[in-house]
Amino acid sequence: IGVVAMAGTVVDGLLANVADALTAVGVNTGKPRRGGTLTVGTLSDVPNYHIFNGAQGKMDASAFCVANALYDPLFVMSKNGKTALPMLALSATPNANYTVWTIKLRQGVKFSNGDPFNATVCVANYTAANADPTVGLAIKPIVKSVTMVDAYTVAYNLVIPFSAWPISLAEAQTAYMAHPSSFSPTYTGNPIGTGPFMVKSWQVGVESQFVRNPNYWRADAHNRQLPYL
């Protein structure tokens, strides 16, 4: 017990040092400069990039770093970790007993290949995840089906009442939306998403290179298109 307590004290001290360092650095508020290259060393790579498809992907911690570059989730979490904020989805409205959530989707978003994101894509992502032999095992006890209400509205029909369902659609594996063409067993191309970057090259287990998505839908507070990098 003493060893555990000592280890906890050491970890607390290290975390405090990190927090102090981040506070000292602060946030650059100057005008962003477009361009540049960022090299990131991850702990692992996906075993095969053909299966790295949004909700259908097999994601560990490193894969989520990649997913955030290539895809967008339906929601993202607020800074305090308590609220699901709009991303590809704009809102989530439950029925009386929280077994059906109606999700309004953002219009005007396109995949990096120019195809539109819509309700059909959202349903296709759920269908692929549900059929996956490993991912499906995790979602079947919770999600009964996802159905299209209209071109930009879907309904998540749940097996059980779930009052915090939007949080499950915030930066979770089942929330990332990939292009449905990549769900085919015979697909041999790169992952296609609506995210800020797209694949230039990918040597599995060696190196992946991404470039800026010129059609990315997000802009900063001054209406400058993202990403800067």
Side-chain angles (χ1 to χ4, degrees):
I1 294 173
V3 172
V4 173
M6 184 180 294
T9 301
V10 171
V11 171
D12 289 343
L14 291 173
L15 291 176
N17 291 339
V18 171
D20 291 342
L22 291 175
T23 301
V25 170
V27 177
N28 190 328
T29 57
K31 184 178 179 180
R33 184 173 57 192
R34 191 174 303 285
T37 301
L38 178 68
T39 302
V40 179
T42 57
L43 295 175
S44 63
D45 198 2
V46 292
N48 183 327
Y49 63 75
H50 300 306
I51 67 166
F52 186 74
N53 293 316
Q56 194 185 14
K58 313 302 192 288
M59 297 187 193
D60 60 7
S62 294
F64 272 98
C65 294
V66 177
N68 280 311
L70 299 179
Y71 303 119
D72 291 314
L74 293 175
F75 295 94
V76 292
M77 290 304 298
S78 61
K79 184 178 180 180
N80 64 11
K82 296 180 179 180
T83 308
L85 302 175
M87 195 68 165
L88 288 180
L90 294 173
S91 63
T93 306
N95 64 353
N97 64 354
Y98 297 96
T99 56
V100 178
W101 283 87
T102 301
I103 310 292
K104 289 286 187 180
L105 303 175
R106 189 180 299 275
Q107 300 186 33
V109 176
K110 293 184 178 181
F111 284 93
S112 57
N113 68 350
D115 290 345
F117 166 75
N118 51 35
T120 301
V121 170
C122 191
V123 172
N125 271 264
Y126 160 75
T127 302
N130 187 59
D132 188 272
T134 54
V135 180
L137 291 175
I139 63 176
K140 288 180 190 295
I142 303 172
V143 184
K144 185 186 305 179
S145 64
V146 177
T147 53
M148 185 171 73
V149 177
D150 59 39
Y152 289 97
T153 310
V154 295
Y156 278 79
N157 308 292
L158 307 183
V159 177
I160 55 175
F162 202 152
S163 61
W165 181 242
I167 292 177
S168 295
L169 296 178
E171 302 173 79
Q173 180 173 309
T174 51
Y176 289 92
M177 297 287 111
H179 194 284
S181 64
S182 61
F183 299 147
S184 168
T186 59
Y187 181 74
T188 58
N190 288 322
I192 302 172
T194 64
F197 299 94
M198 52 190 185
V199 176
K200 177 182 179 181
S201 64
W202 197 334
Q203 296 174 270
V204 174
V206 180
E207 179 186 71
S208 53
Q209 294 186 6
F210 305 147
V211 294
R212 180 176 179 269
N213 177 1
N215 299 313
Y216 192 46
W217 59 275
R218 294 184 67 195
D220 67 12
H222 298 281
N223 204 34
R224 294 179 292 239
Q225 187 190 28
L226 297 173
Y228 309 127
L229 185 66

